[in-house]
Amino acid sequence: MELWNLETNLLVRKILVHDLGNRVMAYSPQGDLIASGGYDGRVQLWDVETGECRHTMVGHTEVVRSVLFSPNGDHIASVSDDKTVRLWSVGSGASRETSNRHNDSVSSLQYSSKRKQIASCSNDSTIRLWNAETGACCRTLTGHSGYVGYISYSPSEDQLVSSSHDTTVRLWDVESGVCRRIFTGHTGKVFAVAFSPQGSQIASASMDKTVRLWSVETGDCQHVLDGHIDTVWAVTYSPQGHQVASCGRDGTVKLWDVETGGCQHTLAGHSNSIERVVYSPNGEQIASTCSDWTVRLWNAKTGLCSNIFIGHQYSVTSVVYSPRGDQVASASRDDKTIRIWDTVSGECCRTLIGHEKGIFVISYLRSGNYLFSWSYQGESRLWDVETGICVWTLNYGVLPSWDNSTTLTRFCFFWIMSPDVDSIITGGPDGSVIVWEVVEAGGQYRVQTRWRSTNGQLDVTDVCVQDVQGLSDLNMRLLEQRGAKRDPNIPLRGATKRLMSIASVISRFESSSFSLTA
């Protein structure tokens, strides 16, 4: 590292930094210190006057990509290829990591088209709300004392309901983050929760073998739907809202009248635990999946079984209706195939073969012409439904790891399709949330990252970016999302040379692994 006098153009001092070479550096706001980051993963602090190294800060395990001083100069932030951000004390050299991801596995995701917002819940007992466009974490909802397994937006999308292993259901105000109601009554873990289409009622399913219907307005339990003889895994409302379907470990699907709480039909035929039940788009039909290797279609009005789809060689783990309702797609974790069935004839139209890992979940794109599939190990495929051809594939096993021990093949488990854009929202055991978008160009398809929350989101609270040269509008927005300000808290006008050093660091954010890809 060389220090030059800009007035005389003379070399003032030459400092030998980092064994493997220097990668980045930045001046302190006062101009008396320089922080450097190297290929050796170290951050070093240098005295400009003497050239002495005050601290060698060790903690990163990969190359340091960016360094930045806090506004008052008492902390240094560093970003590394080890996917961490560390804050270092200038006085002591001690560090701490910062993060805005969940601290445990992500269990469920929901998308709000009106708010352009994503909600995620986790085994860390929290719910996080994300800006779907930028990836900024807007709010963290705390209150549950156990694993939060499922969440759902109200039809108006101004409220969010959550179910937890702490046996409670909570109703949240999305705007303020305040918990409006706590629904208590279940005596076992609550596995699923759903809003009625009208938004006036909530249904919850529990290990205590019951389904409960709650009034959103009063918080009262309106009905206890008692009939299953074992754990109830899932519950869903019909599109019209007059009926609720539940399924459980007892191998049955039950249809309930919302008004009276009475059981209209018990759909029996599966020979093992049923974990998924979905209504057709028009609400006239129900599809259920079971570990007995079959998919069954039921008439929602009469409760009669209209079709049994036989073909999978192992348990069926996912089922979904096409947007038009004329097809049902099913996937098996163990036989690694996807089958597309005609809902009228019951015939298997296509068998999609190609996944090397067990398939976890599938979803149609909005048009219904394409199907997206995701495996337990992070292998993803986009299929042409008409031809059965795989038009795009990605296996995360060939990509670098997110940290030193866990590769991407281990963490993309849950995802949904947002209703207004062809994008996929994923979350997984490391607590991260990622938004992908499906792009078509010249008849070719690819899936690219829009943004992701990783274990290294940089916090630049109170950093002033006024007078910093070389920042694009995107850079400014990214920094402001992380707490930066355009107006100075300390007089920085005239400190152009120092700010240029900071700008050289900040301008890398747009292309770094910690940026939000727009």
Side-chain angles (χ1 to χ4, degrees), residues 79-328:
V79 177
S80 169
D81 276 358
D82 65 7
K83 302 300 181 290
T84 65
V85 174
R86 288 181 178 267
L87 295 182
W88 309 87
S89 168
V90 170
S92 66
S95 79
R96 64 180 178 90
E97 295 183 20
T98 63
S99 172
N100 78 343
R101 67 171 183 175
H102 283 290
N103 296 321
D104 210 325
S105 59
V106 176
S107 51
S108 179
L109 297 161
Q110 292 293 330
Y111 180 82
S112 167
S113 58
K114 295 179 182 177
R115 292 180 171 271
K116 304 295 183 184
Q117 187 181 75
I118 294 165
S120 62
C121 62
S122 169
N123 197 25
D124 66 7
S125 304
T126 69
I127 300 159
R128 289 179 183 264
L129 305 180
W130 311 83
N131 184 308
E133 299 295 327
T134 67
C137 182
C138 313
R139 200 173 299 280
T140 300
L141 312 182
T142 60
H144 280 296
S145 59
Y147 176 90
V148 184
Y150 198 77
I151 49 177
S152 179
Y153 279 100
S154 64
S156 60
E157 300 180 9
D158 60 342
Q159 296 184 102
L160 190 76
V161 65
S162 59
S163 61
S164 172
H165 286 193
D166 65 10
T167 75
T168 70
V169 173
R170 286 178 178 255
L171 182 65
W172 309 85
D173 182 274
V174 173
E175 187 66 32
S176 65
V178 172
C179 180
R180 296 298 186 190
R181 295 196 185 283
I182 303 175
F183 304 102
T184 60
H186 282 297
T187 57
K189 298 175 181 177
V190 185
F191 290 118
V193 68
F195 265 103
S196 66
Q198 296 76 24
S200 59
Q201 193 179 68
I202 292 168
S204 57
S206 171
M207 181 185 280
D208 65 11
K209 310 174 189 178
T210 70
V211 173
R212 287 178 177 257
L213 303 184
W214 311 88
S215 168
V216 171
E217 183 179 357
T218 66
D220 294 334
C221 180
Q222 297 173 315
H223 297 291
V224 178
L225 311 183
D226 192 357
H228 285 285
I229 60 174
D230 209 329
T231 297
V232 186
W233 294 123
V235 63
T236 184
Y237 281 89
S238 66
Q240 295 77 21
H242 63 271
Q243 189 180 70
V244 164
S246 61
C247 64
R249 186 177 283 170
D250 62 7
T252 68
V253 175
K254 289 184 178 289
L255 305 183
W256 309 87
D257 185 285
V258 169
E259 185 66 28
T260 67
C263 181
Q264 296 174 324
H265 300 288
T266 296
L267 314 183
H270 284 297
S271 60
N272 214 323
S273 176
I274 304 172
E275 298 187 7
R276 284 176 175 81
V277 59
V278 294
Y279 278 92
S280 62
N282 62 12
E284 296 177 358
Q285 202 175 61
I286 295 169
S288 59
T289 67
C290 182
S291 54
D292 64 6
W293 305 5
T294 69
V295 177
R296 287 179 178 252
L297 299 189
W298 312 84
N299 184 299
K301 185 175 182 179
T302 66
L304 298 177
C305 180
S306 57
N307 276 304
I308 304 174
F309 298 150
I310 301 174
H312 285 292
Q313 299 303 304
Y314 290 95
S315 298
V316 183
T317 51
S318 183
V319 64
V320 61
Y321 276 91
S322 66
R324 294 184 295 271
D326 58 335
Q327 292 179 342
V328 165

Side-chain angles (χ1 to χ4, degrees), residues 243-433:
Q243 189 180 70
V244 164
S246 61
C247 64
R249 186 177 283 170
D250 62 7
T252 68
V253 175
K254 289 184 178 289
L255 305 183
W256 309 87
D257 185 285
V258 169
E259 185 66 28
T260 67
C263 181
Q264 296 174 324
H265 300 288
T266 296
L267 314 183
H270 284 297
S271 60
N272 214 323
S273 176
I274 304 172
E275 298 187 7
R276 284 176 175 81
V277 59
V278 294
Y279 278 92
S280 62
N282 62 12
E284 296 177 358
Q285 202 175 61
I286 295 169
S288 59
T289 67
C290 182
S291 54
D292 64 6
W293 305 5
T294 69
V295 177
R296 287 179 178 252
L297 299 189
W298 312 84
N299 184 299
K301 185 175 182 179
T302 66
L304 298 177
C305 180
S306 57
N307 276 304
I308 304 174
F309 298 150
I310 301 174
H312 285 292
Q313 299 303 304
Y314 290 95
S315 298
V316 183
T317 51
S318 183
V319 64
V320 61
Y321 276 91
S322 66
R324 294 184 295 271
D326 58 335
Q327 292 179 342
V328 165
S330 61
S332 171
R333 178 188 62 218
D334 296 316
D335 74 10
K336 304 170 188 175
T337 68
I338 300 164
R339 291 177 181 263
I340 299 174
W341 312 85
D342 186 286
T343 57
V344 177
S345 68
E347 294 181 356
C348 181
C349 310
R350 293 272 184 273
T351 299
L352 311 181
I353 301 174
H355 272 286
E356 297 178 1
K357 308 295 182 180
I359 302 168
F360 184 75
V361 72
I362 53 178
S363 181
Y364 280 91
L365 267 65
R366 288 177 299 158
S367 63
N369 297 325
Y370 292 91
L371 187 79
F372 205 93
S373 59
W374 204 285
S375 80
Y376 271 97
Q377 299 296 315
E379 178 194 11
S380 55
R381 289 176 179 263
L382 186 65
W383 306 86
D384 185 312
V385 173
E386 183 66 28
T387 65
I389 295 174
C390 178
V391 298
W392 179 88
T393 185
L394 177 64
N395 191 329
Y396 287 131
V398 302
L399 295 184
S401 63
W402 280 66
D403 55 40
N404 294 326
S405 60
T406 305
T407 63
L408 279 170
T409 61
R410 292 182 57 190
F411 98 111
C412 288
F413 276 49
F414 296 91
W415 60 278
I416 60 174
M417 299 298 296
S418 60
D420 57 346
V421 293
D422 283 333
S423 63
I424 304 138
I425 307 166
T426 67
D430 73 339
S432 298
V433 174

Side-chain angles (χ1 to χ4, degrees), residues 17-24 37-42 44 63-64:
V17 298
H18 302 284
D19 296 337
L20 300 179
N22 182 42
R23 178 67 175 78
V24 290
Y39 287 95
D40 56 9
R42 298 183 177 186
Q44 293 183 303
V63 57
V64 178

Side-chain angles (χ1 to χ4, degrees), residues 46-88:
W46 305 89
D47 188 298
V48 171
E49 186 65 29
T50 66
E52 295 179 355
C53 180
R54 292 193 180 182
H55 296 297
T56 296
M57 294 166 273
V58 180
H60 288 301
T61 58
E62 298 290 342
V63 57
V64 178
R65 294 290 180 181
S66 299
V67 290
L68 178 70
F69 277 91
S70 61
N72 58 10
D74 60 355
H75 283 88
I76 299 167
S78 59
V79 177
S80 169
D81 276 358
D82 65 7
K83 302 300 181 290
T84 65
V85 174
R86 288 181 178 267
L87 295 182
W88 309 87

Side-chain angles (χ1 to χ4, degrees), residues 496-514:
T496 306
K497 287 184 287 184
R498 300 168 194 164
L499 288 166
M500 284 294 290
S501 297
I502 297 175
S504 69
V505 176
I506 299 176
S507 62
R508 293 188 177 89
F509 281 34
E510 186 173 357
S511 59
S512 75
S513 60
F514 299 94

